[in-house]
């Protein structure tokens, strides 16, 4: 057997062995262009918008949306953790995990969750992105003033009107009988919504200013108020005279407090109060500043006298004049002797 034949036979054996190995052991022959497993694309938290959701008397729901920016190769097994941390205590109030799955392409993907927290104070809203259980991105937003969110049961488009020309609650004195006086009360209500509204009532509470004792109260229904219109509701109460009163007006809808306003009734001539400030007036007494017409009053600079300054010596009174007359009489008598 010559050299060429031997070489061909050996090459044939190598090829056959390689084919057998490839058939028996998959992947024994590697693709020279294969760089191994694909590297997952990067993920970033682009922004986290937060919107108020439903509110009750005790809780508020925050609608949180994390916008995830993805580039490059697919990224598998992605999850997002949302959690609300109390700003004062740094305790986790609530949390929620959302399974995202696989992110592909060069795009943003929104991930949404609702977090229900106590309707008070403020919170740090953390958004943490995990890939295969490993943190790869995060973001933090702060919310505060949740107590300002209005519960659904107290939400109303009707409020007490406030303007320079129109007072929310006005008070006028009606009739008086003995030590009792009637007050005519009026509340101005504005419908700030787009539809007519009704099923409302207003309670007027009249409190004596110093003691805070309720002198009288009355509740009256409110008629339908068209959209964008202002209407008034009137009532009358009877209270003791010569006192000052706070007049509270409370707007109700189906026994739920919707809005309130306050005014005052000043019936005491020596005192005056306002809805926000209480002030005490000192009664003016004329006699404290009254002078005797027969006496001459000089200014502190000594330049002004009374109207009869030509006949009366400044600074001398009647007693001094009598003494002067007696001294003159004695002097004349001595000379005569």
């Amino acid at each position: 057997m010559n050299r060429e034949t031997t070489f061909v036979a050996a090459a044939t054996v190598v090829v056959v062995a390689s084919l057998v190995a490839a058939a028996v052991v998959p992947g024994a022959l590697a693709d020279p262009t294969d760089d191994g497993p694909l590297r997952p694309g990067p993920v970033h938290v682009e922004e986290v918008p937060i919107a108020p959701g439903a509110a009750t008397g005790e809780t508020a729901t925050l609608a949180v949306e994390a916008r995830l920016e993805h580039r490059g190769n697919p990224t598998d097994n992605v999850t997002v953790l949302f959690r609300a941390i109390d700003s004062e205590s740094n305790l986790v109030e609530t949390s929620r995990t959302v399974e995202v799955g696989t992110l592909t392409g060069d795009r943003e993907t929104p991930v949404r969750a609702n977090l229900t927290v106590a309707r008070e104070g403020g919170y740090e809203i953390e958004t943490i992105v995990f890939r295969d259980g490993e943190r790869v991105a995060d973001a933090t937003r702060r919310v505060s003033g949740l107590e300002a969110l209005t519960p659904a049961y107290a939400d109303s488009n009707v409020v007490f009107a406030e303007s320079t020309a129109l007072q929310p609650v006005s008070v006028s004195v009606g009739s008086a009988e003995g030590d009792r006086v009637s007050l005519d009360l009026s509340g101005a209500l504005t419908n700030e919504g787009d539809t007519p509204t009704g099923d409302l009532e207003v309670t007027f509470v009249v409190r004596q200013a110093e003691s805070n004792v309720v002198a009288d109260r009355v509740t009256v229904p409110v008629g339908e108020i068209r959209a964008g219109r202002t209407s008034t509701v009137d009532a009358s109460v009877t209270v003791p005279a010569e006192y000052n009163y706070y007049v509270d007006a409370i707007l109700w809808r189906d026994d739920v407090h919707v809005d309130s306003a306050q005014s005052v009734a000043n019936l005491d001539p020596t005192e005056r109060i306002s809805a926000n400030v209480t002030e005490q007036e000192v009664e003016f007494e004329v006699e404290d500043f009254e002078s005797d017409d027969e006496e001459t009053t000089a200014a502190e600079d000594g330049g002004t006298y009374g109207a009869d300054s030509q006949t009366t010596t400044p600074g001398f009174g009647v007693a001094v004049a009598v003494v002067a007359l007696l001294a003159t009489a004695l002097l004349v008598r001595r000379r005569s002797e």
Side-chain angles (χ1 to χ4, degrees), residues 165-180:
L166 184 64
Q167 297 296 322
V169 179
S170 57
V171 182
S172 61
V173 178
S175 60
E177 182 177 352
D179 60 350
R180 307 282 292 181

Side-chain angles (χ1 to χ4, degrees), residues 16 92 188 209 220 235 259 275 333:
V16 172
V92 176
V220 292
D259 196 16
R333 181 177 180 183

Side-chain angles (χ1 to χ4, degrees), residues 301-321:
D301 59 2
T304 304
Y305 300 112
D308 55 348
S309 61
Q310 295 179 352
T311 59
T312 305
T313 303
F316 292 90
V318 177
V320 176

